[in-house]
mmCIF file of all heavy atoms in Angstrom:
data_model
loop_
_atom_site.group_PDB
_atom_site.id
_atom_site.type_symbol
_atom_site.label_atom_id
_atom_site.label_comp_id
_atom_site.label_asym_id
_atom_site.label_seq_id
_atom_site.Cartn_x
_atom_site.Cartn_y
_atom_site.Cartn_z
ATOM 1 N N GLY A 1306 187.750 -186.441 -58.078
ATOM 2 C CA GLY A 1306 186.448 -186.890 -58.365
ATOM 3 C C GLY A 1306 186.292 -187.293 -59.849
ATOM 4 O O GLY A 1306 187.250 -187.125 -60.600
ATOM 5 N N MET A 1307 185.087 -187.821 -60.187
ATOM 6 C CA MET A 1307 184.988 -188.318 -61.542
ATOM 7 C C MET A 1307 185.132 -187.213 -62.580
ATOM 8 O O MET A 1307 185.854 -187.378 -63.563
ATOM 9 C CB MET A 1307 183.572 -188.959 -61.664
ATOM 10 C CG MET A 1307 183.287 -189.411 -63.075
ATOM 11 S SD MET A 1307 181.902 -190.503 -63.300
ATOM 12 C CE MET A 1307 180.528 -189.449 -63.100
ATOM 13 N N VAL A 1308 184.486 -186.099 -62.382
ATOM 14 C CA VAL A 1308 184.540 -185.004 -63.393
ATOM 15 C C VAL A 1308 185.927 -184.253 -63.291
ATOM 16 O O VAL A 1308 186.556 -184.030 -64.341
ATOM 17 C CB VAL A 1308 183.430 -183.982 -63.209
ATOM 18 C CG1 VAL A 1308 183.477 -182.920 -64.223
ATOM 19 C CG2 VAL A 1308 182.081 -184.712 -63.246
ATOM 20 N N HIS A 1331 191.263 -183.278 -50.840
ATOM 21 C CA HIS A 1331 190.408 -182.748 -49.837
ATOM 22 C C HIS A 1331 191.193 -182.647 -48.490
ATOM 23 O O HIS A 1331 190.981 -181.696 -47.770
ATOM 24 C CB HIS A 1331 189.196 -183.724 -49.686
ATOM 25 C CG HIS A 1331 188.120 -183.230 -48.833
ATOM 26 N ND1 HIS A 1331 186.835 -183.702 -48.966
ATOM 27 C CD2 HIS A 1331 188.007 -182.358 -47.783
ATOM 28 C CE1 HIS A 1331 186.049 -183.137 -48.026
ATOM 29 N NE2 HIS A 1331 186.742 -182.293 -47.342
ATOM 30 N N LEU A 1334 193.413 -179.495 -48.656
ATOM 31 C CA LEU A 1334 192.706 -178.214 -48.644
ATOM 32 C C LEU A 1334 191.217 -178.510 -48.525
ATOM 33 O O LEU A 1334 190.557 -178.925 -49.511
ATOM 34 C CB LEU A 1334 193.005 -177.437 -49.923
ATOM 35 C CG LEU A 1334 192.256 -176.105 -50.080
ATOM 36 C CD1 LEU A 1334 192.609 -175.139 -49.015
ATOM 37 C CD2 LEU A 1334 192.545 -175.522 -51.508
ATOM 38 N N ASP A 1335 190.652 -178.263 -47.398
ATOM 39 C CA ASP A 1335 189.216 -178.336 -47.182
ATOM 40 C C ASP A 1335 188.567 -177.088 -47.710
ATOM 41 O O ASP A 1335 188.738 -176.035 -47.095
ATOM 42 C CB ASP A 1335 188.908 -178.592 -45.728
ATOM 43 C CG ASP A 1335 187.378 -178.782 -45.482
ATOM 44 O OD1 ASP A 1335 186.633 -178.548 -46.390
ATOM 45 O OD2 ASP A 1335 187.002 -179.034 -44.265
ATOM 46 N N LEU A 1336 187.780 -177.197 -48.760
ATOM 47 C CA LEU A 1336 187.261 -175.975 -49.389
ATOM 48 C C LEU A 1336 186.141 -175.349 -48.631
ATOM 49 O O LEU A 1336 185.677 -174.238 -48.964
ATOM 50 C CB LEU A 1336 186.796 -176.316 -50.872
ATOM 51 C CG LEU A 1336 187.933 -176.749 -51.815
ATOM 52 C CD1 LEU A 1336 187.388 -177.270 -53.113
ATOM 53 C CD2 LEU A 1336 188.910 -175.566 -52.019
ATOM 54 N N ALA A 1357 185.003 -178.149 -59.711
ATOM 55 C CA ALA A 1357 184.362 -179.496 -59.844
ATOM 56 C C ALA A 1357 184.365 -180.215 -58.483
ATOM 57 O O ALA A 1357 184.042 -181.395 -58.464
ATOM 58 C CB ALA A 1357 185.050 -180.340 -60.875
ATOM 59 N N ALA A 1358 184.645 -179.502 -57.377
ATOM 60 C CA ALA A 1358 184.591 -180.137 -56.047
ATOM 61 C C ALA A 1358 183.136 -179.866 -55.569
ATOM 62 O O ALA A 1358 182.651 -178.704 -55.620
ATOM 63 C CB ALA A 1358 185.631 -179.502 -55.157
ATOM 64 N N ALA A 1359 182.553 -180.863 -54.984
ATOM 65 C CA ALA A 1359 181.245 -180.721 -54.359
ATOM 66 C C ALA A 1359 180.979 -181.891 -53.482
ATOM 67 O O ALA A 1359 181.594 -182.951 -53.660
ATOM 68 C CB ALA A 1359 180.176 -180.579 -55.446
ATOM 69 N N LEU A 1400 180.666 -175.960 -61.857
ATOM 70 C CA LEU A 1400 179.881 -177.090 -62.259
ATOM 71 C C LEU A 1400 178.629 -177.259 -61.441
ATOM 72 O O LEU A 1400 178.782 -177.485 -60.237
ATOM 73 C CB LEU A 1400 180.688 -178.366 -62.302
ATOM 74 C CG LEU A 1400 181.566 -178.503 -63.554
ATOM 75 C CD1 LEU A 1400 182.962 -177.966 -63.257
ATOM 76 C CD2 LEU A 1400 181.600 -179.903 -64.073
ATOM 77 N N GLY A 1401 177.462 -177.160 -62.016
ATOM 78 C CA GLY A 1401 176.201 -177.374 -61.324
ATOM 79 C C GLY A 1401 175.636 -178.751 -61.685
ATOM 80 O O GLY A 1401 176.403 -179.718 -61.761
ATOM 81 N N TYR A 1431 170.510 -179.567 -51.951
ATOM 82 C CA TYR A 1431 171.662 -179.633 -52.860
ATOM 83 C C TYR A 1431 171.408 -178.759 -54.110
ATOM 84 O O TYR A 1431 172.235 -177.937 -54.501
ATOM 85 C CB TYR A 1431 171.812 -181.112 -53.335
ATOM 86 C CG TYR A 1431 172.837 -181.380 -54.350
ATOM 87 C CD1 TYR A 1431 174.220 -181.395 -53.996
ATOM 88 C CD2 TYR A 1431 172.477 -181.618 -55.682
ATOM 89 C CE1 TYR A 1431 175.123 -181.672 -55.011
ATOM 90 C CE2 TYR A 1431 173.420 -181.873 -56.671
ATOM 91 C CZ TYR A 1431 174.781 -181.951 -56.305
ATOM 92 O OH TYR A 1431 175.730 -182.189 -57.233
ATOM 93 N N LYS A 1435 173.357 -175.426 -55.510
ATOM 94 C CA LYS A 1435 173.849 -175.295 -56.959
ATOM 95 C C LYS A 1435 173.332 -174.060 -57.647
ATOM 96 O O LYS A 1435 174.044 -173.387 -58.372
ATOM 97 C CB LYS A 1435 173.438 -176.566 -57.733
ATOM 98 C CG LYS A 1435 174.251 -177.817 -57.326
ATOM 99 C CD LYS A 1435 175.657 -177.668 -57.723
ATOM 100 C CE LYS A 1435 176.452 -178.892 -57.378
ATOM 101 N NZ LYS A 1435 177.894 -178.683 -57.638
ATOM 102 N N THR A 1463 174.157 -183.010 -67.424
ATOM 103 C CA THR A 1463 173.123 -184.060 -67.245
ATOM 104 C C THR A 1463 173.730 -185.217 -66.432
ATOM 105 O O THR A 1463 174.850 -185.116 -65.915
ATOM 106 C CB THR A 1463 172.588 -184.588 -68.615
ATOM 107 O OG1 THR A 1463 171.523 -185.450 -68.433
ATOM 108 C CG2 THR A 1463 173.669 -185.311 -69.489
ATOM 109 N N LEU A 1465 176.023 -188.166 -65.594
ATOM 110 C CA LEU A 1465 177.336 -188.489 -66.130
ATOM 111 C C LEU A 1465 177.720 -189.947 -65.769
ATOM 112 O O LEU A 1465 177.213 -190.466 -64.700
ATOM 113 C CB LEU A 1465 178.396 -187.560 -65.583
ATOM 114 C CG LEU A 1465 178.118 -186.057 -65.805
ATOM 115 C CD1 LEU A 1465 179.136 -185.217 -65.088
ATOM 116 C CD2 LEU A 1465 178.163 -185.749 -67.299
HETATM 117 N N1 NAP B 2538 178.356 -187.432 -61.463
HETATM 118 C C1 NAP B 2538 177.313 -187.015 -62.090
HETATM 119 O O1 NAP B 2538 176.466 -187.706 -62.681
HETATM 120 C C2 NAP B 2538 177.130 -185.478 -62.133
HETATM 121 C C3 NAP B 2538 175.930 -184.988 -62.777
HETATM 122 C C4 NAP B 2538 175.706 -183.668 -62.813
HETATM 123 C C5 NAP B 2538 176.559 -182.824 -62.174
HETATM 124 N N2 NAP B 2538 177.598 -183.252 -61.539
HETATM 125 C C6 NAP B 2538 178.480 -182.231 -60.883
HETATM 126 O O2 NAP B 2538 179.815 -182.342 -61.193
HETATM 127 C C7 NAP B 2538 180.658 -181.994 -60.119
HETATM 128 C C8 NAP B 2538 181.646 -183.120 -59.866
HETATM 129 O O3 NAP B 2538 180.914 -184.308 -59.583
HETATM 130 P P1 NAP B 2538 181.616 -185.719 -59.548
HETATM 131 O O4 NAP B 2538 180.683 -186.703 -60.005
HETATM 132 O O5 NAP B 2538 183.016 -185.652 -60.068
HETATM 133 O O6 NAP B 2538 181.670 -185.851 -57.922
HETATM 134 P P2 NAP B 2538 182.721 -186.689 -57.109
HETATM 135 O O7 NAP B 2538 183.302 -187.807 -57.896
HETATM 136 O O8 NAP B 2538 182.061 -186.995 -55.775
HETATM 137 O O9 NAP B 2538 183.899 -185.655 -56.833
HETATM 138 C C9 NAP B 2538 183.813 -184.555 -56.021
HETATM 139 C C10 NAP B 2538 185.213 -184.177 -55.496
HETATM 140 O O10 NAP B 2538 185.056 -183.037 -54.661
HETATM 141 C C11 NAP B 2538 185.894 -183.265 -53.465
HETATM 142 N N3 NAP B 2538 185.343 -182.530 -52.322
HETATM 143 C C12 NAP B 2538 184.134 -182.646 -51.728
HETATM 144 N N4 NAP B 2538 184.062 -181.803 -50.702
HETATM 145 C C13 NAP B 2538 185.272 -181.150 -50.598
HETATM 146 C C14 NAP B 2538 185.820 -180.187 -49.751
HETATM 147 N N5 NAP B 2538 185.063 -179.708 -48.673
HETATM 148 N N6 NAP B 2538 187.063 -179.808 -49.959
HETATM 149 C C15 NAP B 2538 187.812 -180.255 -50.977
HETATM 150 N N7 NAP B 2538 187.384 -181.158 -51.796
HETATM 151 C C16 NAP B 2538 186.078 -181.588 -51.631
HETATM 152 C C17 NAP B 2538 185.693 -184.766 -53.261
HETATM 153 O O11 NAP B 2538 186.801 -185.208 -52.445
HETATM 154 P P3 NAP B 2538 186.473 -186.338 -51.337
HETATM 155 O O12 NAP B 2538 185.873 -187.455 -52.118
HETATM 156 O O13 NAP B 2538 187.827 -186.598 -50.773
HETATM 157 O O14 NAP B 2538 185.554 -185.692 -50.384
HETATM 158 C C18 NAP B 2538 185.821 -185.303 -54.700
HETATM 159 O O15 NAP B 2538 187.131 -185.564 -55.082
HETATM 160 C C19 NAP B 2538 179.681 -181.737 -58.985
HETATM 161 O O16 NAP B 2538 179.457 -180.346 -58.872
HETATM 162 C C20 NAP B 2538 178.430 -182.358 -59.371
HETATM 163 O O17 NAP B 2538 177.300 -181.739 -58.848
HETATM 164 C C21 NAP B 2538 177.893 -184.586 -61.499
#
Side-chain angles (χ1 to χ4, degrees):
M1307 176 165 72
V1308 180
H1331 191 157
L1334 176 62
D1335 179 354
L1336 295 171
L1400 279 96
Y1431 175 77
K1435 289 291 185 186
T1463 187
L1465 305 173

